[in-house]
Amino acid sequence: MGKAYEGGVPLAEVVRSGFVEGVHRGSVVVLDATGEPVAGAGDVTSPIFPRSSSKPMQAIGMLRAGLPLTDPADMALVAASHAGEEFHVERVTALLRDAGLSEEALHCPPDLPFGEAARETVLRTGGGPARVLMNCSGKHAGMVRTCLAAGWPLDGYWRPEHPLQQCLTATIEEFAGERAAAVGVDGCGAPVLAVSLTGLARAFLRLVAAEPGTVERTVADAMRAYPELVGGTQAEDTRLMRGVPGLLAKIGAEGVIAAAIPEVGAVAVKIDDGAARARTPVLVSALARLGVRAPILTEYAEPPLLGGGLPVGAIRPTW
């Protein structure tokens, strides 16, 4: 995996009033239950940054390193990109308080909630940016608590050379089945590792196919049991996990989403221009190639495009 990502192919088109006004390019890979590729488009073997789609593997690494969590809801939050709704913030705050910490221990930057409704609530009540409101605060709370449990320093826990991040790097590489091609700085300040879409799909498949009682299965089960904590009330990965039995899904920034279903297969998508609106229709079309059908998938198959507040077109997968 020495070459750079070459970019993808047309995967979805933007149709307004019967006229194609735009095209989203990207890459997608579909693996069957054995991990063999059965469909794909674009460049699925070169590295991309999965962004927050890596969080389930990071959560596994934290638990392996001694993160003292027994409540599956807390495990789901550590793997989350939460919307900053009240129940998210309360649980992050509790994770910190139970360890004798405040939000000042977190390296993630102060932010407003990712979710539109939660953001409006904060502003309407006179609030402002805070570290616990940032969508990665659950992950960072897990990181600092892991450091306390393992006896590692909190100072610099976000730096790639810190023992925590070395542990998480090894975990991501293990589950992706490949070495990270690059290390970057994610939006929350923690490291993000470049792996291929095939490696990302392989990692998700390993989580859902793991034996009950293993750490990886524990994380997958926690996310599927508490999907509102993984995203939010209206988050697409939350609603997909609620609507498709057995589905594990996690979005990432810059147009990434990965999903897997036990005994069915796995999918990973990257939209080159980073548009979130195109990733889910492409995911739905990829799941259809695995024979997956559900009402929620029909809802996301061709998201409507509005004109004057009314549907006048759609985002349609084309690959």
Side-chain angles (χ1 to χ4, degrees), residues 49 158-161 165-166 169 173 180-186 190-195:
F49 281 141
W158 59 90
R159 296 193 176 99
E161 64 273 15
Q165 300 303 336
Q166 291 291 304
T169 294
E173 291 180 335
V183 180
V185 180
D186 213 334
V192 59
L193 306 180
V195 298

Side-chain angles (χ1 to χ4, degrees), residues 3-296:
K3 61 187 180 74
Y5 178 62
E6 297 177 352
V9 299
L11 293 181
E13 60 185 14
V14 183
V15 182
R16 182 182 297 275
S17 303
F19 182 84
V20 178
E21 68 170 348
V23 174
H24 292 290
R25 302 173 66 90
S27 300
V28 53
V29 65
V30 184
L31 307 181
D32 66 17
T34 70
E36 289 299 313
V38 294
D43 184 357
V44 302
T45 59
S46 299
I48 57 104
F49 281 141
R51 302 298 296 273
S52 287
S53 293
S54 295
K55 285 179 178 175
M57 286 70 75
Q58 290 173 312
I60 292 168
M62 290 183 229
L63 288 170
R64 284 178 169 179
L67 175 60
L69 296 184
T70 57
D71 189 335
D74 288 334
M75 296 179 196
L77 188 65
V78 168
S81 298
H82 66 73
E85 296 171 82
E86 185 176 358
F87 62 92
H88 295 127
V89 179
E90 289 177 350
R91 189 167 284 273
V92 173
T93 302
L95 279 175
L96 294 169
R97 184 180 59 246
D98 290 349
L101 300 171
S102 73
E103 67 175 305
E104 295 308 312
L106 305 180
H107 180 66
C108 58
D111 202 357
L112 290 169
F114 181 73
E116 182 177 350
R119 182 167 59 249
E120 291 177 354
T121 297
V122 169
L123 294 174
R124 187 174 59 252
T125 56
R131 296 183 192 277
V132 291
L133 298 178
M134 201 267 172
N135 73 91
C136 296
S137 64
K139 178 180 77 173
H140 279 258
M143 287 180 172
V144 294
R145 289 201 56 172
T146 301
C147 289
L148 289 178
W152 294 330
L154 294 185
D155 184 45
Y157 76 84
W158 59 90
R159 296 193 176 99
E161 64 273 15
H162 191 280
L164 170 70
Q165 300 303 336
Q166 291 291 304
C167 172
L168 303 190
T169 294
T171 304
I172 290 173
E173 291 180 335
E174 173 191 342
F175 280 85
E178 58 192 44
R179 295 293 300 273
V183 180
V185 180
D186 213 334
C188 65
V192 59
L193 306 180
V195 298
S196 71
L197 283 174
T198 299
L200 180 61
R202 185 186 300 124
F204 271 67
L205 187 60
R206 288 188 61 180
L207 265 66
V208 300
E211 291 294 323
T214 59
V215 175
E216 52 266 40
R217 178 65 177 273
T218 297
V219 169
D221 287 349
M223 293 174 67
R224 290 180 291 188
Y226 295 93
E228 284 81 8
L229 288 170
V230 174
T233 306
Q234 297 301 319
E236 59 198 274
D237 44 9
T238 293
R239 298 189 71 231
L240 289 169
M241 285 191 281
R242 276 287 179 222
V244 181
L247 181 75
L248 175 69
K250 184 69 190 71
I251 61 171
E254 295 301 319
V256 177
I257 190 167
I261 302 176
E263 300 181 2
V264 175
V267 175
V269 177
K270 163 68 178 173
I271 304 300
D272 290 352
D273 63 8
R277 67 180 182 178
R279 65 187 171 197
T280 310
V282 174
L283 175 76
V284 171
S285 67
L287 289 172
R289 294 166 190 254
L290 292 171
V292 181
R293 303 284 191 276
I296 189 67

